Short mmCIF file of all heavy atoms in Angstrom, two decimals:
data_model
loop_
_atom_site.label_atom_id
_atom_site.label_comp_id
_atom_site.label_asym_id
_atom_site.label_seq_id
_atom_site.Cartn_x
_atom_site.Cartn_y
_atom_site.Cartn_z
N ALA A 1369 -17.82 211.00 -42.45
CA ALA A 1369 -17.55 210.08 -41.36
C ALA A 1369 -18.52 208.94 -41.27
O ALA A 1369 -18.13 207.75 -41.20
CB ALA A 1369 -17.52 210.86 -40.04
N VAL A 1370 -19.82 209.24 -41.33
CA VAL A 1370 -20.83 208.17 -41.14
C VAL A 1370 -20.98 207.28 -42.37
O VAL A 1370 -21.61 206.20 -42.31
CB VAL A 1370 -22.19 208.75 -40.70
CG1 VAL A 1370 -22.06 209.52 -39.43
CG2 VAL A 1370 -22.82 209.61 -41.83
N SER A 1371 -20.41 207.73 -43.51
CA SER A 1371 -20.46 206.89 -44.72
C SER A 1371 -19.31 205.91 -44.78
O SER A 1371 -19.27 205.06 -45.67
CB SER A 1371 -20.40 207.79 -45.96
OG SER A 1371 -19.11 208.33 -46.17
N GLY A 1372 -18.38 206.00 -43.81
CA GLY A 1372 -17.32 205.02 -43.76
C GLY A 1372 -15.96 205.52 -44.11
O GLY A 1372 -15.05 204.74 -44.35
N GLN A 1373 -15.74 206.83 -44.17
CA GLN A 1373 -14.42 207.37 -44.48
C GLN A 1373 -13.88 208.08 -43.23
O GLN A 1373 -13.45 209.22 -43.28
CB GLN A 1373 -14.51 208.32 -45.65
CG GLN A 1373 -14.70 207.65 -46.97
CD GLN A 1373 -13.49 206.79 -47.38
OE1 GLN A 1373 -12.38 207.30 -47.46
NE2 GLN A 1373 -13.74 205.51 -47.64
N GLN A 1374 -13.77 207.34 -42.13
CA GLN A 1374 -13.30 207.93 -40.89
C GLN A 1374 -11.78 208.06 -40.85
O GLN A 1374 -11.19 208.71 -40.01
CB GLN A 1374 -13.69 207.11 -39.65
CG GLN A 1374 -15.20 207.14 -39.38
CD GLN A 1374 -15.91 205.97 -40.04
OE1 GLN A 1374 -15.35 205.28 -40.89
NE2 GLN A 1374 -17.16 205.76 -39.64
N GLY A 1375 -11.08 207.43 -41.79
CA GLY A 1375 -9.63 207.46 -41.75
C GLY A 1375 -9.07 206.12 -41.32
O GLY A 1375 -9.57 205.07 -41.71
N ALA A 1376 -8.05 206.14 -40.49
CA ALA A 1376 -7.38 204.90 -40.10
C ALA A 1376 -8.30 204.04 -39.22
O ALA A 1376 -9.16 204.55 -38.51
CB ALA A 1376 -6.11 205.22 -39.33
N GLY A 1377 -8.10 202.75 -39.29
CA GLY A 1377 -8.86 201.83 -38.47
C GLY A 1377 -10.04 201.23 -39.20
O GLY A 1377 -10.48 201.70 -40.23
N THR A 1378 -10.55 200.14 -38.64
CA THR A 1378 -11.66 199.40 -39.23
C THR A 1378 -12.88 199.54 -38.35
O THR A 1378 -12.78 199.31 -37.13
CB THR A 1378 -11.30 197.94 -39.44
OG1 THR A 1378 -10.16 197.83 -40.24
CG2 THR A 1378 -12.47 197.20 -40.05
N VAL A 1379 -13.99 199.90 -38.92
CA VAL A 1379 -15.25 200.05 -38.17
C VAL A 1379 -16.25 199.03 -38.72
O VAL A 1379 -16.40 198.88 -39.92
CB VAL A 1379 -15.81 201.47 -38.34
CG1 VAL A 1379 -17.15 201.60 -37.63
CG2 VAL A 1379 -14.81 202.49 -37.85
N GLU A 1380 -16.91 198.36 -37.81
CA GLU A 1380 -17.95 197.39 -38.22
C GLU A 1380 -19.12 198.18 -38.84
O GLU A 1380 -19.71 199.06 -38.20
CB GLU A 1380 -18.43 196.59 -37.01
CG GLU A 1380 -19.45 195.52 -37.33
CD GLU A 1380 -18.83 194.38 -38.13
OE1 GLU A 1380 -17.61 194.15 -38.05
OE2 GLU A 1380 -19.61 193.68 -38.84
N PRO A 1381 -19.49 197.83 -40.09
CA PRO A 1381 -20.61 198.59 -40.72
C PRO A 1381 -21.92 198.37 -40.00
O PRO A 1381 -22.19 197.31 -39.44
CB PRO A 1381 -20.64 197.97 -42.14
CG PRO A 1381 -19.30 197.33 -42.34
CD PRO A 1381 -18.89 196.84 -40.99
N CYS A 1382 -22.75 199.39 -40.03
CA CYS A 1382 -24.10 199.26 -39.57
C CYS A 1382 -25.00 199.40 -40.80
O CYS A 1382 -24.69 200.17 -41.73
CB CYS A 1382 -24.46 200.34 -38.53
SG CYS A 1382 -23.89 202.04 -38.93
N ARG A 1383 -26.10 198.70 -40.85
CA ARG A 1383 -26.85 198.53 -42.08
C ARG A 1383 -28.26 199.11 -42.01
O ARG A 1383 -29.10 198.84 -42.88
CB ARG A 1383 -26.90 197.06 -42.53
CG ARG A 1383 -25.46 196.53 -42.70
CD ARG A 1383 -25.43 195.13 -43.29
NE ARG A 1383 -24.06 194.65 -43.38
CZ ARG A 1383 -23.22 194.97 -44.32
NH1 ARG A 1383 -23.57 195.80 -45.29
NH2 ARG A 1383 -21.97 194.49 -44.35
N SER A 1384 -28.55 199.86 -40.99
CA SER A 1384 -29.84 200.55 -40.89
C SER A 1384 -29.66 201.78 -40.05
O SER A 1384 -28.64 201.92 -39.32
CB SER A 1384 -30.89 199.65 -40.26
OG SER A 1384 -30.58 199.39 -38.89
N TYR A 1385 -30.65 202.67 -40.05
CA TYR A 1385 -30.57 203.85 -39.19
C TYR A 1385 -30.49 203.42 -37.73
O TYR A 1385 -29.68 203.94 -36.96
CB TYR A 1385 -31.79 204.76 -39.39
CG TYR A 1385 -31.85 205.87 -38.38
CD1 TYR A 1385 -31.04 206.99 -38.51
CD2 TYR A 1385 -32.66 205.76 -37.26
CE1 TYR A 1385 -31.04 207.99 -37.55
CE2 TYR A 1385 -32.70 206.76 -36.28
CZ TYR A 1385 -31.87 207.87 -36.45
OH TYR A 1385 -31.89 208.86 -35.49
N LYS A 1386 -31.32 202.44 -37.34
CA LYS A 1386 -31.34 202.03 -35.95
C LYS A 1386 -30.00 201.48 -35.51
O LYS A 1386 -29.52 201.82 -34.42
CB LYS A 1386 -32.44 200.99 -35.72
CG LYS A 1386 -32.61 200.58 -34.25
CD LYS A 1386 -33.72 199.59 -34.05
CE LYS A 1386 -34.00 199.37 -32.55
NZ LYS A 1386 -32.82 198.98 -31.82
N GLU A 1387 -29.43 200.62 -36.31
CA GLU A 1387 -28.11 200.07 -35.96
C GLU A 1387 -27.05 201.16 -35.79
O GLU A 1387 -26.24 201.14 -34.88
CB GLU A 1387 -27.63 199.11 -37.05
CG GLU A 1387 -28.25 197.69 -37.00
CD GLU A 1387 -27.59 196.77 -37.97
OE1 GLU A 1387 -26.44 196.99 -38.39
OE2 GLU A 1387 -28.27 195.79 -38.37
N CYS A 1388 -27.04 202.10 -36.71
CA CYS A 1388 -26.07 203.19 -36.67
C CYS A 1388 -26.33 204.09 -35.46
O CYS A 1388 -25.38 204.53 -34.78
CB CYS A 1388 -26.09 204.00 -37.96
SG CYS A 1388 -25.50 203.08 -39.39
N ALA A 1389 -27.58 204.41 -35.18
CA ALA A 1389 -27.93 205.27 -34.05
C ALA A 1389 -27.56 204.59 -32.76
O ALA A 1389 -27.05 205.26 -31.81
CB ALA A 1389 -29.42 205.59 -34.09
N ASP A 1390 -27.78 203.28 -32.67
CA ASP A 1390 -27.42 202.54 -31.47
C ASP A 1390 -25.90 202.55 -31.26
O ASP A 1390 -25.42 202.67 -30.12
CB ASP A 1390 -27.90 201.11 -31.54
CG ASP A 1390 -29.42 200.96 -31.37
OD1 ASP A 1390 -30.02 201.95 -30.95
OD2 ASP A 1390 -29.94 199.91 -31.69
N ALA A 1391 -25.14 202.45 -32.37
CA ALA A 1391 -23.68 202.50 -32.25
C ALA A 1391 -23.23 203.83 -31.75
O ALA A 1391 -22.34 203.92 -30.83
CB ALA A 1391 -23.05 202.20 -33.61
N LEU A 1392 -23.83 204.91 -32.26
CA LEU A 1392 -23.46 206.23 -31.80
C LEU A 1392 -23.80 206.44 -30.34
O LEU A 1392 -23.01 207.05 -29.59
CB LEU A 1392 -24.17 207.28 -32.66
CG LEU A 1392 -23.71 207.37 -34.13
CD1 LEU A 1392 -24.68 208.22 -34.94
CD2 LEU A 1392 -22.31 207.99 -34.21
N LYS A 1393 -24.94 205.95 -29.92
CA LYS A 1393 -25.30 206.08 -28.49
C LYS A 1393 -24.37 205.32 -27.57
O LYS A 1393 -24.13 205.71 -26.41
CB LYS A 1393 -26.73 205.54 -28.31
CG LYS A 1393 -27.82 206.39 -28.90
CD LYS A 1393 -29.20 205.75 -28.76
CE LYS A 1393 -30.29 206.57 -29.44
NZ LYS A 1393 -31.60 205.90 -29.42
N ALA A 1394 -23.75 204.25 -28.12
CA ALA A 1394 -22.78 203.46 -27.35
C ALA A 1394 -21.38 204.05 -27.40
O ALA A 1394 -20.43 203.45 -26.88
CB ALA A 1394 -22.79 202.02 -27.85
N GLY A 1395 -21.27 205.21 -28.04
CA GLY A 1395 -19.97 205.86 -28.15
C GLY A 1395 -19.08 205.31 -29.25
O GLY A 1395 -17.86 205.60 -29.27
#
Side-chain angles (χ1 to χ4, degrees):
V1370 301
S1371 72
Q1373 287 293 304
Q1374 292 94 346
T1378 302
V1379 178
E1380 184 68 24
C1382 44
R1383 303 187 182 279
S1384 68
Y1385 171 78
K1386 185 177 187 307
E1387 280 187 24
C1388 293
D1390 287 346
L1392 291 167
K1393 289 175 184 175

